[in-house]
Amino acid sequence: MKVLGIMGSPRRKGNTEILLDWVLAGAEASGAQVEKVIVSELRISPCREIYACLKDGNCAIKDDMQALYTKLLEADRIIFASPIFFYGITSQAKALVDRCQALWARRHVLGIIQDKGRVRKGAFISVGATKGKRLFDGSILTLKYFFEAIGAKYSYELLVRGVDNKGEIQQQPTALQDAFALGQKLVLEDS
Ligand SMILES: Cc1cc2nc3c(=O)[nH]c(=O)nc-3n(C[C@H](O)[C@H](O)[C@H](O)COP(=O)(O)O)c2cc1C
């Protein structure tokens, strides 16, 4: 089983990456082949809305997203990790999401289904500094639609409130164990 972790924070070794690493460790301990991509280190232009993808499902912008399309389609499990920036995901992560309009076009306009018969699942993990009830609402909607567009089911989430300074997540009583357990569940649970 291939598990792909998408690290959407621009801060390396911060709260999001620490949490994601624990999820990936749980998945690896359960026998999966894991890979992590650092979005801020890739060249991913925002979508330009020229709709070249409507012709054949391919995006006209030739940057690091091209290789990522293949990874996104090959993965059995995708963990999308981003901190909350202004009640949404980071702009780096959002550029990646928007570029998946090409995969949406393949599936929903052109009827090209590249993962027929495979159960593909997605997990959203996120952190934010504040503690409001609706802190993650906007991002959850974005992620639900993202996973639907790429042919995966939004299946799990791990959302941690009240973490701000770099590495502060390590002081949260259960976050890291919860992350490891999520990685295990992602691989071991059938449906
Ligand atoms: C530009 C920016 C916008 C932010 N917006 C929010 C916000 O709307 N709500 C919130 O609770 N925290 C917000 N934060 C705080 C981050 O979510 C928080 O520091 C988080 O732990 C950062 O995770 P990281 O270490 O993985 O980058 C914001 C931080 C930045 C830099």
Side-chain angles (χ1 to χ4, degrees):
M1 180 180 288
K2 283 189 184 179
V3 175
L4 178 66
I6 297 171
M7 209 296 277
S9 171
R11 179 157 72 176
R12 291 301 313 269
K13 308 292 172 201
N15 300 316
T16 304
E17 189 167 12
I18 293 169
L19 203 58
L20 176 61
D21 284 346
W22 280 80
V23 179
L24 292 174
E28 197 165 31
S30 306
Q33 184 192 322
V34 305
E35 182 178 356
K36 176 169 73 171
V37 295
I38 310 296
V39 180
S40 65
E41 292 178 3
L42 299 178
R43 228 169 17 96
I44 301 179
S45 154
C47 173
R48 295 192 196 138
E49 212 180 355
I50 49 178
Y51 277 120
C53 59
L54 288 180
K55 275 182 244 138
D56 59 5
N58 292 315
C59 181
I61 306 170
K62 303 303 175 203
D63 59 9
D64 291 337
M65 196 61 207
Q66 297 298 337
L68 204 46
Y69 288 131
T70 309
K71 290 185 199 294
L72 285 166
L73 290 169
E74 282 179 0
D76 302 290
R77 304 287 183 265
I78 297 160
I79 305 146
F80 195 105
S82 172
I84 297 300
F85 279 12
F86 286 89
Y87 284 87
I89 57 174
T90 65
S91 48
Q92 290 87 348
K94 186 59 163 50
L96 183 161
V97 167
D98 291 352
R99 291 287 298 284
C100 286
Q101 182 75 350
L103 300 185
W104 176 87
R106 275 185 212 180
R107 179 171 295 272
H108 293 289
V109 180
L110 304 168
I112 305 168
I113 312 287
Q114 288 166 302
D115 48 15
K116 255 184 206 137
R118 283 167 63 213
V119 178
R120 289 166 20 89
K121 292 200 232 177
F124 175 44
I125 66 174
S126 188
V127 299
T130 55
K131 297 195 172 163
K133 189 165 169 275
R134 306 192 63 192
L135 179 58
F136 299 103
D137 286 7
S139 306
I140 290 170
L141 273 178
T142 302
L143 264 293
K144 282 188 174 162
Y145 191 63
F146 163 75
F147 281 125
E148 202 275 330
I150 68 166
K153 185 166 177 271
Y154 184 104
S155 304
Y156 304 97
E157 57 189 25
L158 177 59
L159 311 168
V160 184
R161 291 175 171 79
V163 284
D164 199 7
N165 295 327
K166 187 173 179 178
E168 208 182 329
I169 189 97
Q170 291 171 106
Q171 272 113 58
Q172 287 271 326
T174 62
L176 304 184
Q177 289 133 267
D178 292 347
F180 191 85
L182 172 58
Q184 292 176 306
K185 257 202 306 198
L186 259 180
V187 175
L188 301 175
E189 264 182 16
D190 281 341
S191 55

